[in-house]
């Protein structure tokens, strides 16, 4: 067992939470669930699975995660950010056991590869894989950046390393829920875009920086500089044809179209509405399930 606490944020995650926690198979010393008042069996199930459960009203992901870091008494050497719809691969679990305890003190963060599964299919193309994300860090040495959308863990000191193994993003909920979630995301992304210049202590766009900095540079310095509405068409064509998204089969077609075209077009439609009508920005409410 590793001296590790896994911190999970939940809201109505009964369908996902069990496979998430059980994928660790005794690897972590402690599980902390910060719940935003679920209406299903999430809280009961989390306790059955041995997690310590706290509840806190939702503001946004970053605020909720940082609240969890500060108010749940995490005393292990390492902390891991994990979502309820994610799970470890056996290879990653073994790598964490073998490598994490022996890392030098100068290493305070560990980046892992995220593998997205959709409708039972690993989405390997379209520029989706591999995505490196910092998910494991020495307790007290990191926090979640205060941004509305696409939040990243930032190190306060030290340096990061990479473990070239995957965790799996594999949500058990249906497409109707997925569409509702991305409609919710589009409200958050609109706020993020409109207010981005006011944000502090966030990942800054940088072409020659980390993967997160480079993706943010492409998003704000390239994508958002292209014409409204048209860019969703171009982005889908780029992902599906030039980045070989068509090789992901029918699940890939559905995923790349919904996530790479419909969602991006929806964000643009809301941006157009914001600029041309008296509809203002919505509050960063919790996702209604």
């Amino acid at each position: 067992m590793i001296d590790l606490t896994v911190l999970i944020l939940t809201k109505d995650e009964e369908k996902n939470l069990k496979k998430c926690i059980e994928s660790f198979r005794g690897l972590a010393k402690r599980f902390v669930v910060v719940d935003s008042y679920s209406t299903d069996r999430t809280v009961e199930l989390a306790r059955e699975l041995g997690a310590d459960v706290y509840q806190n009203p939702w503001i946004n992901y970053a605020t909720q995660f940082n609240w969890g870091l500060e108010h749940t008494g995490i005393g292990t050497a390492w902390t891991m950010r994990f979502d309820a719809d994610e799970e470890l691969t056996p290879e990653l679990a073994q790598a964490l056991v073998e490598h994490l305890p022996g890392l030098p003190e100068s290493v305070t963060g560990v980046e892992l590869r995220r593998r997205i599964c959709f409708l039972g299919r690993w989405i390997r193309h379209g520029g989706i894989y591999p995505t490196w994300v910092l998910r494991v860090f020495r307790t007290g040495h990191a926090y979640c950046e205060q941004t509305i959308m696409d939040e990243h863990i930032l190190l306060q000191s030290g340096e990061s390393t990479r473990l070239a193994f995957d965790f799996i993003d594999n949500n058990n909920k249906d497409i109707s829920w997925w569409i509702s979630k991305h409609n919710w995301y589009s409200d958050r992304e609109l706020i993020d875009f409109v207010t981005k210049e006011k944000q502090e202590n966030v990942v800054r766009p940088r072409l020659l920086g980390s993967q997160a900095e480079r993706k943010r540079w492409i998003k704000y310095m390239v994508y958002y500089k292209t014409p409204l509405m048209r860019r969703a068409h171009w982005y889908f064509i780029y992902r599906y044809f030039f980045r070989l998204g068509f090789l992901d089969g029918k699940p890939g077609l559905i995923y790349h179209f919904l996530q790479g075209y419909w969602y991006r077009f929806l964000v643009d439609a809301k941006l157009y509405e914001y600029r041309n009508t008296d509809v203002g920005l919505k509050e960063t409410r919790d996702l209604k399930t």
Side-chain angles (χ1 to χ4, degrees):
M1 182 176 292
I2 304 173
D3 194 21
L4 171 71
T5 294
V6 182
L7 177 55
I8 306 169
L9 307 188
T10 60
K11 173 64 185 293
D12 294 341
E13 290 290 356
E14 179 183 354
K15 292 183 179 180
N16 289 308
L17 189 60
K18 184 175 182 179
K19 69 178 177 62
C20 169
I21 291 180
E22 289 188 345
S23 72
F24 285 82
R25 298 180 182 87
L27 180 149
K29 182 175 289 187
R30 186 183 181 211
F31 291 91
V32 169
V33 168
V34 179
D35 182 77
S36 53
Y37 299 96
S38 292
T39 59
D40 63 2
R41 292 188 63 254
T42 296
V43 170
E44 179 183 351
L45 179 60
R47 288 175 175 146
E48 290 174 0
L49 293 167
D52 296 330
V53 180
Y54 300 79
Q55 289 189 302
N56 191 57
W58 181 271
I59 297 176
N60 56 50
Y61 191 100
T63 300
Q64 191 80 329
F65 186 83
N66 290 329
W67 185 93
L69 291 179
E70 296 170 5
H71 294 89
T72 61
I74 297 175
T76 51
W78 294 91
T79 300
M80 185 172 190
R81 168 189 170 180
F82 222 57
D83 293 339
D85 59 358
E86 296 170 344
E87 56 195 280
L88 294 183
T89 59
E91 295 80 10
L92 176 55
Q94 184 62 34
L96 289 171
V97 171
E98 292 177 356
H99 297 287
L100 201 61
L103 289 175
E105 290 296 322
S106 60
V107 174
T108 56
V110 180
E111 295 182 12
L112 310 172
R113 290 189 309 217
R114 180 170 59 208
R115 178 196 306 178
I116 293 177
C117 288
F118 186 79
L119 295 178
R121 178 79 176 242
W122 177 6
I123 306 300
R124 301 184 66 169
H125 303 92
I128 300 301
Y129 180 87
T131 297
W132 291 92
V133 287
L134 196 153
R135 289 300 189 90
V136 184
F137 53 90
R138 291 191 188 274
T139 302
H141 287 264
Y143 64 97
C144 187
E145 61 171 337
Q146 277 290 351
T147 186
I148 305 298
M149 190 66 185
D150 294 331
E151 309 88 352
H152 293 83
I153 299 296
L154 300 181
L155 295 178
Q156 295 172 305
S157 60
E159 59 188 16
S160 64
T161 189
R162 285 181 170 181
L163 285 181
F165 298 91
D166 297 356
F167 66 93
I168 303 173
D169 181 331
N170 183 25
N171 203 302
N172 285 335
K173 298 176 183 178
D174 60 23
I175 288 180
S176 294
W177 178 87
W178 191 97
I179 290 172
S180 295
K181 182 181 76 167
H182 280 72
N183 183 39
W184 177 62
Y185 278 170
S186 68
D187 290 336
R188 294 170 59 193
E189 182 146 341
L190 176 62
I191 297 170
D192 186 67
F193 175 74
V194 171
T195 63
K196 67 181 186 302
E197 293 183 354
K198 301 177 182 178
Q199 295 171 2
E200 299 178 354
N201 300 320
V202 299
V203 173
R204 293 299 178 186
R206 195 156 63 100
L207 178 59
L208 300 179
S210 66
Q211 187 185 59
E213 291 171 329
R214 186 166 59 253
K215 289 176 70 175
R216 195 157 286 182
W217 186 89
I218 293 171
K219 182 176 182 179
Y220 286 107
M221 305 307 294
V222 179
Y223 180 81
Y224 275 129
K225 301 294 185 182
T226 56
L228 194 72
M229 308 298 186
R230 294 181 190 176
R231 56 196 180 203
H233 297 267
W234 298 337
Y235 181 54
F236 172 72
I237 291 170
Y238 168 75
R239 268 178 56 166
Y240 194 67
F241 295 103
F242 289 90
R243 297 303 301 272
L244 307 181
F246 62 86
L247 294 178
D248 291 321
K250 290 181 180 178
L253 172 59
I254 296 169
Y255 179 82
H256 292 299
F257 178 80
L258 288 178
Q259 205 274 337
Y261 180 83
W262 171 81
Y263 171 69
R264 302 292 352 152
F265 195 89
L266 180 62
V267 173
D268 277 359
K270 292 187 177 183
L271 180 57
Y272 179 87
E273 178 186 51
Y274 170 76
R275 288 173 172 173
N276 293 277
T277 72
D278 59 357
V279 174
L281 298 176
K282 296 182 180 179
E283 295 180 1
T284 55
R285 55 183 172 78
D286 198 353
L287 174 62
K288 303 301 181 183
T289 56

